[in-house]
Amino acid sequence: MKLLHRQVRSDFLWIDPWGWAYVLMRTLTALGTLLTLSFNGPSILFHPRIDAEQPPVCVEPLGTVSMLCQGSPALWRYVGIAVLLLVLSGWRPRLLALPHVWVTWSVSFSISLPEGGDQVASNLALLLLPLALADGRRWVWRFDPDRRARLLSNPVLDFRTIFGLSVVVLVRLQACVIYLDAAVSKFRVTEWQDGTAIYYWFRDPLFVPGDVRDDIAFAITSTPVSTALITWGGLALELALAAAIFAGRRSRRVLLVLGLAFHGMIAIVFGLVTFWIAMAALLVMYLGFDNDFPGLRRRAAQVGALLAPLGRRARRRPNLPVPTSPAPIEARPDAELDDLVGVAADGTRGANREPRDADGPGAPVGANST
């Protein structure tokens, strides 16, 4: 028990709940919903459905608070795009926390055919709400550079950090449940048991359009061995991702790359780009919650260095009045004259120098003429 406590404490002590994992998760969540609203017009988002409920879906009681049910859906679509652009900019995360949740949930609830990515983005935005409400930064891209030094001097977590870490644990539990359910639910299907499920999925024209992706899908499922390996390999990876909640840092990094590649292949074959973005946002927090992403930090520092001259130009010093010509040395007070002599000689103040005879070799010309 002591070993487990020490391990948990060592893993979580250095985690910044508002670090790069939180920023990337928040940004990717907004990006996926933004792409859905931007590249799909009202005729696609609110396409008539077979059932009696016509889009936008405004089923009571939840539907009445949907953004897309407050008037013209086409107009509110642009409002949602504006909100998500502000979220992507990183401005005032606390102020935009509730609007972000409102927009993502409204899209997943009220459009005609929401996909898994819309639902995942809605859940992630809701899970991020406590972190965003506790984030008082003006720009989400500003981090605390002295946090590690403070923890080294006083390794005690405050209440705010404990609260943030609790939210991180909830997000990781959500990811674990998603992958565990995705894997276990397939065990009851005969095609997943015998290793042929991918063969049928890749040849269904409803999911795989007839273009170059069709050729790729046919090529990788052309033999029974490759089909079985892909089918069972996907199941094994989903189980491994579910068990990653107990994995160490090195194993999580490997699984993060494999998970991103896995969902990237799904995005290429089935065209589910926004689903890949939503799952990438989840994986970043699930497997990279304790990673400060040094590559991103270096890129951010480089961008800041490039933008620094622009900031200096914007903060130019005001035009100061031109100073008047100094008075002649003969007309200056004796104390000021001594200071000038001292500074000119060796860079120190004249008051700190040993007194000298005014007629000595160091006296200025005309200083004591009779």
Side-chain angles (χ1 to χ4, degrees):
M1 182 63 67
K2 291 183 178 180
L3 180 62
L4 178 61
H5 174 75
R6 190 182 303 113
Q7 179 67 29
V8 171
R9 185 175 180 272
S10 64
D11 286 344
F12 279 84
L13 179 62
W14 308 107
I15 301 172
D16 184 4
W18 293 271
W20 272 109
Y22 155 75
V23 172
L24 288 175
M25 181 179 176
R26 178 178 179 271
T27 303
L28 291 173
T29 301
L31 177 61
T33 309
L34 177 64
L35 293 178
T36 299
L37 291 177
S38 301
F39 291 94
N40 298 282
S43 61
I44 298 178
L45 293 174
F46 313 114
H47 192 276
R49 296 173 22 164
I50 299 177
D51 56 11
E53 184 65 31
Q54 297 304 310
V57 180
C58 301
V59 180
E60 295 183 355
L62 294 178
T64 57
V65 299
S66 172
M67 174 191 69
L68 300 173
C69 298
Q70 305 306 313
S72 173
L75 177 61
W76 281 100
R77 167 175 168 260
Y78 290 108
V79 174
I81 291 174
V83 170
L84 294 173
L85 286 175
L86 288 175
V87 174
L88 285 178
S89 70
W91 180 75
R92 299 290 186 186
R94 177 180 293 172
L95 182 64
L96 295 172
L98 286 174
H100 184 197
V101 174
W102 189 38
V103 171
T104 54
W105 176 82
S106 299
V107 170
S108 66
F109 186 86
S110 295
I111 64 175
S112 298
L113 295 173
E115 63 162 9
D118 301 321
Q119 297 169 350
V120 172
S122 175
N123 292 339
L124 295 184
L126 186 60
L127 288 172
L128 283 177
L129 180 61
L131 283 178
L133 290 176
D135 190 356
R137 291 174 290 185
R138 183 175 183 180
W139 294 99
V140 78
W141 310 104
R142 294 180 178 177
F143 301 97
D144 184 6
D146 302 324
R147 183 175 185 274
R148 181 174 290 270
R150 289 199 307 271
L151 288 176
L152 283 173
S153 60
N154 185 25
V156 177
L157 299 179
D158 55 9
F159 174 78
R160 179 175 178 270
T161 303
I162 295 175
F163 171 76
L165 291 175
S166 302
V167 177
V168 173
V169 172
L170 288 177
V171 174
R172 301 191 72 223
L173 288 174
Q174 172 74 68
C176 176
V177 170
I178 288 177
Y179 285 109
L180 183 62
D181 179 72
V184 173
S185 62
K186 294 182 178 66
F187 292 151
R188 298 189 297 266
V189 181
T190 304
E191 288 76 14
W192 285 100
Q193 294 175 6
D194 59 23
T196 61
I198 292 297
Y199 178 88
Y200 300 107
W201 279 99
F202 280 12
R203 281 164 170 74
D204 191 336
L206 181 62
F207 297 99
V208 182
D211 54 12
V212 65
R213 289 177 294 178
D214 196 4
D215 299 334
I216 297 175
F218 275 43
I220 62 180
T221 57
S222 58
T223 63
V225 175
S226 62
T227 302
L229 287 177
I230 295 174
T231 302
W232 292 333
L235 284 174
L237 181 58
E238 287 178 340
L239 288 175
L241 289 172
I245 194 170
F246 306 109
R249 179 179 297 183
R250 184 174 301 177
S251 300
R252 288 198 307 270
R253 289 179 178 177
V254 175
L255 288 172
L256 176 60
V257 176
L258 293 177
L260 292 176
F262 172 68
H263 290 292
M265 185 187 69
I266 295 175
I268 293 173
V269 176
F270 297 108
L272 301 176
V273 177
T274 55
F275 179 72
W276 178 83
I277 294 176
M279 295 308 296
L282 180 62
L283 285 173
V284 164
M285 180 64 82
Y286 180 42
L287 302 177
F289 67 97
D290 58 347
N291 193 337
D292 58 357
F293 297 91
L296 288 176
R297 287 195 293 114
R298 287 193 296 269
R299 297 294 183 271
Q302 292 172 0
V303 172
L306 292 175
L307 297 179
L310 299 178
R312 286 195 293 267
R313 293 194 191 103
R315 297 190 299 270
R316 286 179 179 176
R317 296 177 60 183
N319 294 329
L320 300 176
V322 179
T324 58
S325 301
I329 294 181
E330 294 83 359
R332 298 187 183 185
D334 292 339
E336 185 178 353
L337 178 61
D338 291 339
D339 285 350
L340 288 173
V341 171
V343 171
D346 55 8
T348 58
R349 299 292 296 173
N352 297 329
R353 294 170 55 88
E354 295 181 359
R356 296 184 303 175
D357 188 356
D359 293 330
V365 178
N368 196 23
S369 58
T370 55

